[in-house]
């Protein structure tokens, strides 16, 4: 099944906001109904595919001569236009398709990917790898004047090998995460990677963007899981991963992970897997302030026991109910929005905290019955000592039930005339309070000055011994020019992140949206070194140009 072309996920799972919530958005944030309904797919004017006969023939030959694997029809091209950020959706809902791919090419395996890339290089055609289409940072919109193809990897969806002794599995890049879990479960294993995009994202996408799942405290990030990978480039094949670790020079896996299709197309990965857990339990905890909750998470991350799932919503996100998206209702929106202008410079979010909602933490353990029971008991002692109040399993169950619901809620807010978007970062623990305050300030000030005062929410969902991530959600009225409003706010937030010592992205990736700030973060010399890698692997510059690195 294809994802909704103008929104997120399964169209049957979309749920409109209740009228009471829509009314409160109007009263509290000035949200107004859209002036016109979004366009329908069949009304979008799509120009003819800009492929000459020789280029089309070369692409056909690369995928075995089957016409259904080189698609130039309007619907296929629209469905592969951009990703799923809020700006992406606003543009496609207006019928803007100025960066439409010339064709959608569906290779069946590594050799066909090589052939497609060579055909693209020979004919001056850019190639954009396309997995689940879930990018929210401009990773599917190359900065290039000229035609490009979307390289859809959906036919590459196999489990190639399982090694139960070493506990490894080799997966093709186009395999969607739920299918991967089902195939591994048949062998008694799990990958344990469950990001919010889980239902639609692919194995190759996880690797190309250094994805981090909601159970990262226990299972690790995706780049921690990858033991080897195979990369197709216009110049040939790169293979890495003879052993779990090696001292044979720099680790090329780490160079290719996170490369976002700029160096090549990841066609398969070998990952470590773990036994399917026999027990899962997710508890809710309340902390008086975000700072106290963050200190409790730091204690668990540094001194243990390390849970499988460990996340903390700030006061505003807890009040609004976004910590449990399926529980959002008018009471939550009403109480939460009253704190929307608070806490811009207060790292504890005290404006919302005065309403006594506190901060919701979800602490989860997975594994054997014995390990889960022991870990839960030990964590309870740590969390109590840190000032936490146990709320039982119900908040954890609600979070687990609605853990993939937030993108659907974002679409419902867009339908109601609101603007909703996210951004994320990470820093060392000592810098986290300053980073939290700086990003809130930047978003609140910029959007308020634009006439669309926002509701700014945040949570910690990925923790390490030395630091943690911050994930912000912003809701405001769309205003007269929502894209311009958001661009200014996003740029201000990006500047604030670097100034406060954070990284420009923790798990969404660089794409085009973060590229210029990534250059500032990495430095000119490092970027020049990466350019040299790209020139060797992709001398014609056809691989996702302008994504990750500025185009030459």
């Amino acid at each position: 099944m294809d994802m909704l072309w103008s929104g997120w996920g399964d169209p049957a799972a979309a749920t409109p906001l209740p009228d009471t919530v829509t009314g409160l958005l109007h009263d509290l944030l000035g949200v107004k109904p859209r002036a016109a309904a979004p366009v329908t797919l069949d009304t979008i004017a799509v120009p003819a595919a800009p492929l000459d006969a020789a280029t089309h023939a070369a692409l056909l030959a690369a995928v075995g001569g089957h016409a259904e694997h080189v698609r130039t029809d309007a619907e296929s091209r629209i469905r592969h236009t951009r990703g799923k950020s809020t700006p992406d959706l606003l543009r496609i809902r207006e019928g803007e398709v100025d960066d439409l791919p010339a064709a959608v090419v569906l290779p069946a395996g590594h050799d066909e990917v090589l052939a497609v890339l060579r055909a693209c290089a020979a004919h001056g055609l850019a190639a954009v790898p396309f997995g689940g289409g879930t990018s929210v940072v401009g990773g599917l919109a190359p900065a290039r004047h000229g035609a490009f193809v979307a390289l859809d990897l959906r036919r590459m969806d196999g489990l190639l090998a399982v090694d139960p002794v070493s506990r490894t599995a080799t997966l093709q890049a186009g395999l969607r995460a739920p299918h991967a879990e089902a195939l591994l479960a048949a062998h008694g294993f799990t990958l344990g990677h469950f990001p919010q995009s889980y239902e639609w994202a692919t194995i190759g996408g996880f690797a190309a963007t250094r994805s981090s799942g909601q159970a990262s405290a226990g299972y690790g990030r995706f780049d921690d899981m990858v033991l080897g990978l195979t990369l197709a480039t216009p110049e040939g094949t790169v293979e890495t991963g003879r052993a779990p670790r090696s001292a044979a020079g720099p680790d090329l896996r780490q160079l290719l992970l996170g490369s976002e299709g700029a160096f090549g197309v990841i066609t398969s990965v070998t990952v470590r897997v773990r036994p399917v857990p026999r027990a899962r339990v997710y508890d809710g905890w309340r902390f008086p302030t975000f700072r106290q909750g963050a200190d409790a998470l730091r204690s668990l991350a540094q001194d243990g026991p390390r849970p499988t799932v460990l996340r903390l919503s700030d006061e505003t996100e807890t009040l609004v109910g976004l910590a449990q998206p399926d529980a959002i209702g008018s009471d939550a929106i009403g109480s939460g929005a009253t704190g929307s202008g608070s806490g811009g410079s207060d790292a504890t979010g005290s404006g919302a905290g005065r309403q006594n909602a506190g901060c919701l933490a979800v602490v989860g353990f997975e594994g054997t019955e014995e390990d889960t029971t022991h870990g839960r008991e030990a964590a309870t002692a740590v969390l109590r000592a840190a000032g936490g109040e146990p709320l039982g399993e119900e908040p954890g169950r609600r979070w687990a039930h609605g853990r993939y619901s937030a993108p659907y809620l974002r679409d419902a807010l867009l339908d109601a005339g609101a603007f909703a978007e996210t951004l994320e970062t990470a820093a060392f623990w000592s810098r986290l309070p300053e980073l939290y305050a700086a990003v809130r300030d930047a978003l609140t000030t910029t959007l308020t000055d634009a006439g669309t005062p926002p509701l700014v929410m945040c949570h910690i969902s990925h923790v390490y011994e030395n630091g943690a991530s911050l994930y912000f959600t912003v809701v405001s009225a769309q205003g007269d020019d929502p894209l311009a409003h958001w661009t200014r706010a996003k740029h201000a937030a990006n500047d604030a992140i670097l100034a406060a010592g954070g990284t420009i992205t923790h798990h969404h990736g660089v794409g085009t949206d973060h590229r210029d700030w990534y250059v500032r973060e990495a430095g000119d010399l490092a970027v020049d070194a990466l350019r040299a890698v790209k020139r060797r692997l992709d001398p014609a510059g056809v691989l996702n140009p302008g994504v990750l690195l500025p185009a030459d």
Side-chain angles (χ1 to χ4, degrees):
M1 179 177 60
D2 287 324
M3 189 186 292
L4 179 64
W5 69 275
S6 59
W8 181 265
D10 180 359
T15 304
L17 292 177
D19 291 341
T20 51
V21 174
T22 302
L24 283 167
L25 288 170
H26 175 268
D27 294 342
L28 297 170
L29 295 179
V31 172
K32 299 177 182 179
R34 291 176 50 90
V39 300
T40 58
L41 191 149
D42 60 336
T43 62
I44 297 177
V46 175
L51 295 178
D52 59 41
T55 303
H56 190 269
L59 293 174
L60 272 177
V63 292
H66 300 290
E68 66 270 25
H69 299 150
V70 178
R71 302 177 183 176
T72 57
D73 62 284
E75 180 173 341
S76 294
R77 294 165 65 201
I78 291 170
R79 289 186 178 277
H80 290 77
T81 298
R82 297 184 290 270
K84 296 297 181 182
S85 70
T86 295
D88 288 340
L89 297 189
L90 288 172
R91 291 179 62 197
I92 201 71
R93 288 174 174 217
E94 294 296 327
E96 291 185 24
V97 290
D98 52 318
D99 44 9
L100 193 75
V104 179
V105 183
L106 294 87
H110 178 81
D111 289 343
E112 288 193 0
V113 173
L114 284 175
V116 171
L117 294 181
R118 287 166 176 156
C120 288
H123 292 271
L125 195 63
V128 177
F130 192 100
T134 62
S135 172
V136 292
V137 293
L140 301 177
R144 176 188 176 97
H145 298 292
F148 71 95
V149 298
L151 194 60
D152 190 321
L153 305 180
R154 70 177 67 187
R155 296 175 63 211
M156 299 168 57
D157 63 350
L159 171 60
L160 300 181
V162 175
D163 179 349
V165 175
S166 304
R167 289 188 177 177
T168 68
T170 301
L171 310 169
Q172 286 188 299
L175 187 60
R176 273 179 36 191
H179 190 198
E181 281 296 317
L183 291 172
L184 290 171
H187 295 270
F189 293 113
T190 179
L191 190 56
H193 191 68
F194 304 105
Q196 197 167 76
S197 61
Y198 167 77
E199 296 172 308
W200 296 91
T202 62
I203 296 298
F206 292 154
T209 60
R210 292 189 182 272
S211 174
S212 192
Q214 296 173 351
S216 64
Y219 290 99
R221 291 164 53 96
F222 196 79
D223 46 354
D224 298 327
M225 303 174 185
V226 176
L227 303 174
L229 60 82
T230 301
L231 185 81
T233 81
E235 294 294 288
T237 298
V238 178
E239 294 191 71
T240 71
R242 283 176 168 264
R245 291 292 184 269
S246 171
D251 190 344
L252 292 179
R253 288 172 297 188
Q254 295 303 320
L255 175 65
L256 302 176
L257 289 166
S259 58
E260 300 186 30
F263 298 162
V265 179
I266 295 170
T267 57
S268 66
V269 296
T270 297
V271 292
R272 63 115 174 99
V273 293
R274 293 181 177 168
V276 173
R278 295 182 179 180
R280 292 184 175 94
V281 60
Y282 308 113
D283 289 324
W285 286 80
R286 178 190 176 276
F287 289 90
T289 68
F290 193 49
R291 191 184 291 260
Q292 284 179 269
D295 286 344
L297 266 61
R298 178 170 60 85
S299 181
L300 290 175
Q302 291 180 336
D303 302 319
R306 177 72 69 89
T308 306
V309 173
L310 189 57
R311 55 191 296 118
L312 173 74
S313 293
D314 72 358
E315 292 88 346
T316 309
E317 185 170 285
T318 299
L319 276 165
V320 171
L322 195 61
Q324 301 172 87
D326 66 333
I328 283 184
S330 59
D331 291 342
I333 292 286
S335 60
T338 61
S340 62
S342 71
S345 59
D346 181 354
T348 65
S350 59
R354 286 192 294 268
Q355 299 176 63
N356 299 317
C359 297
L360 175 65
V362 174
V363 182
F365 286 89
E366 301 180 5
T368 66
E369 294 280 358
E370 181 181 3
D371 288 345
T372 298
T373 299
H374 175 75
R376 188 185 189 194
E377 290 174 351
T380 294
V382 173
L383 295 169
R384 283 188 185 276
E389 173 191 348
L391 303 177
E393 293 185 40
E394 178 59 21
R397 280 196 295 263
R398 292 198 68 95
W399 169 79
H401 180 265
R403 66 197 298 187
Y404 308 125
S405 300
Y408 291 101
L409 174 63
R410 185 270 306 267
D411 288 0
L413 288 165
L414 290 179
D415 292 339
F419 183 96
E421 186 57 300
T422 63
L423 60 89
E424 41 74 43
T425 179
F428 295 110
W429 286 111
S430 60
R431 288 183 174 268
L432 218 60
E434 176 189 353
L435 179 62
Y436 174 75
V439 176
R440 281 177 58 94
D441 261 342
L443 293 167
T444 301
T445 300
T446 308
L447 286 168
T448 299
D449 289 348
T452 55
L455 183 66
V456 180
M457 298 161 278
C458 183
H459 67 256
I460 295 171
S461 54
H462 308 283
V463 300
Y464 309 93
E465 182 178 353
N466 309 110
S469 68
L470 294 174
Y471 189 101
F472 293 88
T473 301
V474 185
V475 181
S476 71
Q478 291 188 8
D480 295 332
D481 192 342
L483 293 180
H485 286 353
W486 177 246
T487 298
R488 286 191 292 270
K490 173 75 170 176
H491 288 186
N494 289 351
D495 289 340
I497 285 170
L498 293 190
T503 180
I504 196 59
T505 176
H506 172 262
H507 58 269
H508 281 170
V510 174
T512 54
D513 293 359
H514 294 150
R515 181 191 59 219
D516 295 345
W517 288 267
Y518 171 61
V519 169
R520 287 165 54 185
E521 180 178 329
D524 290 340
L525 181 59
V527 170
D528 284 346
L530 293 178
R531 285 182 186 274
V533 173
K534 181 172 176 64
R535 281 194 293 270
R536 177 62 185 93
L537 298 176
D538 177 28
V542 300
L543 287 165
N544 227 2
V547 170
L548 182 68
L549 301 172
D552 288 330

